[in-house]
Amino acid sequence: MKKRLINAAVTAALAIALVCGSLAGTRTGGQQELNIIEDNYRNYYEIFVGSFYDSDGDGMGDFNGIVEKLDYIKELGFNGIWLMPVMPSPTYHKYDVTDYEAVDAAYGTVDDFKNLVDECHKRNIRLLTDMVINHTSSQHPWFQEACSYLQTLEEGKEPDLTACPYADYYHFAREQVNSTWYQVPGSSWWYEGSFWSEMPDLNLADTALRGELEKAADFWLDLGVDGFRMDAALHFEENDTQGNCEVLNWLYQYCRKKNEDFYMVSEVWASGQTIADYYGSGTPSMFNFTAGSGEGKLVSAVRQGKMTSLLQTMVENQENYSAKNPDYIDAPFLTNHDMGRVANALVSDPVKLKMAAGLLLTMSGSPFVYYGEEIGMKSAGTKDENKRIPMFWSKSDSTGMTDGPAGMDAGIESSLPAVDEQLADEGSLLNYYKKALTLRNVHPELARGKITVLDRLCEGGTAAVAKTWEGSTIGVLYNIGDEEVSVPLSGTELSGMQLSGMLAADDAGAVLKDDTVTLPAHSIAVVK
Ligand code: CA
């Protein structure tokens, strides 16, 4: 068992010390070489385009604005971006599409979008777009035509799909099946709108509709998009895991035929067991809703100062997901656009926010960071608009600042400084993210390694995990507690390893001496 060192006056002269902030290589003392693998394990940055960066001064974030900030994103260590919906839509959030083969003019032109894709690819960043196929907008021409047809259909007659194929694109019935069904105005027909009356649910079993959606996939793949984030996969058909998995598999296989590197990550906002079942779709990634959110395992570990439950989740994920899809790539995150921000959950405490980032960015799989998380931006209450406020680039320079969603509340202020100030502060949360992403880019085992939890080195806020990938093993040592701890490696598979990387929330270094690592409070070390 580890023993606590009362007086940790271990001199750096005798030991290999890694001081927070230097990211120094252990053996050379210099910068460590990045070891970025060009596969679908990536560090993703989620962007709400309208609130990110405005290139032309109209207050609306746009594609050209993202291009201007690609170097910012790349230099942080991300090599993937997920854009929330960019297709034409009557709402600010655009999760209700009126045309699957166009971009919303508020964000720019198709040429602007194509330029964004090209600029991403120049930087080895892959671009995912949101693909919202559970429903369309009620203003989508398919729905409008279907409703017009049903309004004129003689009472008692069944729709003739040769006259109006769109009548089968949605779920229509002659009765209100449940409270999420709405009446087609001026008719005796009802339609399903499981999220909202203005978001009619598509009938994804319809062959003609699938043809349209394949055409839509062609449109985006031809523009160079590298993957889709599948919205609301749990709800394609309510309580039909098998059917919904078939839908995911159909679109994934279709896209893979065009691009063998095509990636797909799906939103299945459900229990770990249900998420595991969706890996049965044979598609690569599901967001890890067990780890994510203010109540999830990552934030809870930080709040409680205990690693036990998170470690259990890591092992369960590995067992349950790989049983359904051996090639699965976990997709952990702290929060997303549907959740209160992590800074609210952790009361803007920089140390806790760093610890949460450190835990996320040492997780296996492809982590997703929601824009603004890296600077500790806040949300307010449960209103969605307040979770999607303007990226806080600067307090003094309004260049590129967006107006944000019309319905958001005024005065939601960050407790932590803006991007420009945090970039200049070596000890900032932003620079911690950069160090954590660098650690990840130096050690490909962090994302891809098979996990073994070293139980006898785990207690409370201290933990040790071995990760093995392609014959290379690293150890990840955690101390999320408030006190320094010692972790003896002897007798474990990490024995004899050297310090290879370090993340500390405070200005402190780890020390390895006599096969024992001394970890300062709130730190994570990698040994190799
Ligand atoms: Ca603009």
Side-chain angles (χ1 to χ4, degrees):
M1 233 26 232
K2 73 186 187 297
K3 57 183 189 297
R4 290 185 192 278
L5 295 186
I6 305 301
N7 177 6
V10 183
T11 55
L14 291 170
I16 301 164
L18 280 171
V19 177
C20 167
S22 71
L23 272 175
T26 49
R27 293 171 194 87
T28 63
Q31 199 77 13
Q32 283 178 301
E33 265 188 43
L34 299 181
N35 190 7
I36 298 173
I37 315 288
E38 292 297 331
D39 60 9
N40 274 328
Y41 285 86
R42 296 206 162 228
N43 306 325
Y44 282 100
Y45 190 68
E46 179 193 356
I47 296 177
F48 175 49
V49 181
S51 281
F52 194 60
Y53 194 89
D54 172 21
S55 70
D56 56 9
D58 65 357
M60 175 64 76
D62 44 49
F63 300 134
N64 290 333
I66 298 172
V67 171
E68 287 191 43
K69 288 296 165 184
L70 282 182
D71 288 334
Y72 166 78
I73 294 166
K74 166 131 181 130
E75 280 160 24
L76 275 172
F78 294 102
N79 58 352
I81 291 174
W82 154 29
L83 298 183
M84 285 166 62
V86 298
M87 298 171 194
S89 166
T91 60
Y92 83 89
H93 52 69
K94 310 199 191 303
Y95 275 100
D96 44 345
V97 173
T98 53
D99 183 352
Y100 284 93
E101 295 173 47
V103 299
D104 197 298
Y107 291 169
T109 65
V110 170
D111 284 344
D112 295 336
F113 183 83
K114 174 69 180 146
N115 179 53
L116 169 59
V117 175
D118 293 344
E119 291 297 322
C120 285
H121 289 172
K122 274 185 204 164
R123 293 165 177 81
N124 291 325
I125 293 171
R126 288 193 184 164
L127 189 69
L128 314 182
T129 51
D130 231 304
M131 184 54 87
V132 186
I133 62 169
N134 176 66
H135 50 259
T136 67
S137 164
S138 60
Q139 295 175 37
H140 195 293
W142 301 336
F143 188 69
Q144 298 277 312
E145 290 206 27
C147 289
S148 301
Y149 174 77
L150 293 174
Q151 282 159 351
T152 56
L153 189 65
E154 208 175 304
E155 190 67 36
K157 275 207 167 166
E158 286 305 309
D160 173 3
L161 298 183
T162 58
C164 180
Y166 309 113
D168 199 44
Y169 279 25
Y170 298 86
H171 291 143
F172 290 108
R174 287 187 193 277
E175 54 181 11
Q176 186 179 25
V177 176
N178 61 45
S179 62
T180 66
W181 286 65
Y182 300 88
Q183 194 153 21
V184 176
S187 85
S188 58
W189 289 85
W190 298 74
Y191 67 93
E192 186 188 17
S194 60
F195 284 91
W196 180 34
S197 62
E198 305 316 306
M199 288 179 172
D201 278 59
L202 286 167
N203 171 21
L204 292 165
D206 182 80
T207 309
L209 171 61
R210 286 200 182 192
E212 303 260 20
L213 294 174
E214 286 174 354
K215 211 155 66 66
D218 290 343
F219 175 84
W220 295 99
L221 291 180
D222 291 347
L223 283 171
V225 161
D226 300 286
F228 294 143
R229 178 265 182 189
M230 301 301 294
D231 182 60
L234 182 68
H235 301 282
F236 291 161
E237 293 291 336
E238 302 299 332
N239 307 310
D240 184 6
T241 300
Q242 207 183 337
N244 297 346
C245 284
E246 190 276 324
V247 171
L248 291 176
N249 183 268
W250 149 69
L251 192 59
Y252 179 64
Q253 295 302 342
Y254 179 82
C255 295
R256 286 257 294 181
K257 271 184 224 147
K258 298 196 72 165
N259 173 7
E260 64 176 14
D261 293 328
F262 178 82
Y263 178 66
M264 179 179 276
V265 55
S266 300
E267 180 198 31
V268 177
W269 197 338
S271 71
Q273 190 52 57
T274 301
I275 291 169
D277 289 341
Y278 274 77
Y279 274 111
S281 64
T283 65
S285 290
M286 306 291 146
F287 287 110
N288 190 330
F289 282 92
T290 312
S293 95
E295 292 77 42
K297 300 288 182 184
L298 287 161
V299 169
S300 296
V302 174
R303 213 185 255 140
Q304 295 161 8
K306 291 200 177 93
M307 287 292 291
T308 325
S309 187
L310 179 61
L311 293 171
Q312 196 184 339
T313 297
M314 287 181 191
V315 172
E316 281 175 7
N317 289 347
Q318 179 166 276
E319 286 174 2
N320 298 340
Y321 299 173
S322 63
K324 296 290 172 71
N325 180 1
D327 299 322
Y328 87 99
I329 300 174
D330 191 15
F333 62 99
L334 292 174
T335 64
N336 65 23
H337 60 281
D338 286 323
M339 299 170 172
R341 282 187 176 271
V342 64
N344 291 61
L346 294 173
V347 294
S348 297
D349 178 337
V351 169
K352 288 194 166 78
L353 289 172
K354 287 176 183 173
M355 208 70 262
L359 292 181
L360 170 68
L361 296 175
T362 50
M363 287 280 280
S364 297
S366 293
F368 282 74
V369 173
Y370 184 43
Y371 81 96
E373 221 161 61
E374 76 274 26
I375 53 167
M377 271 172 60
K378 289 207 290 197
S379 56
T382 56
K383 196 199 267 188
D384 280 342
E385 288 90 333
N386 290 350
K387 303 164 184 165
R388 304 163 187 176
I389 67 171
M391 179 69 176
F392 187 33
W393 295 106
S394 172
K395 195 164 189 175
S396 56
D397 180 359
S398 62
T399 310
M401 292 283 284
T402 63
D403 293 342
M408 74 173 188
D409 295 332
I412 305 168
E413 286 192 7
S414 287
S415 303
L416 274 58
V419 171
D420 56 354
E421 286 177 64
Q422 290 205 34
L423 277 172
D425 173 5
E426 186 61 29
S428 68
L429 177 63
L430 176 59
N431 276 312
Y432 184 98
Y433 266 88
K434 193 170 175 180
K435 286 163 200 159
L437 287 159
T438 303
L439 189 72
R440 204 171 172 85
N441 288 333
V442 167
H443 301 97
E445 300 92 342
L446 275 173
R448 299 162 186 82
K450 185 168 170 22
I451 300 169
T452 312
V453 174
L454 305 179
D455 288 323
R456 71 190 179 94
L457 297 180
C458 300
E459 184 194 300
T462 309
V465 171
K467 291 196 179 190
T468 303
W469 177 66
E470 294 199 338
S472 170
T473 298
I474 60 167
V476 190
L477 311 178
Y478 297 91
N479 175 19
I480 66 170
D482 297 332
E483 290 177 58
E484 179 180 277
V485 296
S486 290
V487 183
L489 305 182
S490 62
T492 76
E493 63 179 297
L494 307 182
S495 181
M497 288 188 175
Q498 301 297 312
L499 280 170
S500 181
M502 171 72 194
L503 293 168
D506 315 310
D507 187 16
V511 172
L512 190 151
K513 191 192 175 194
D514 299 335
D515 222 11
T516 294
V517 179
T518 302
L519 288 169
H522 315 123
S523 72
I524 299 170
V526 172
V527 293
K528 188 167 181 174

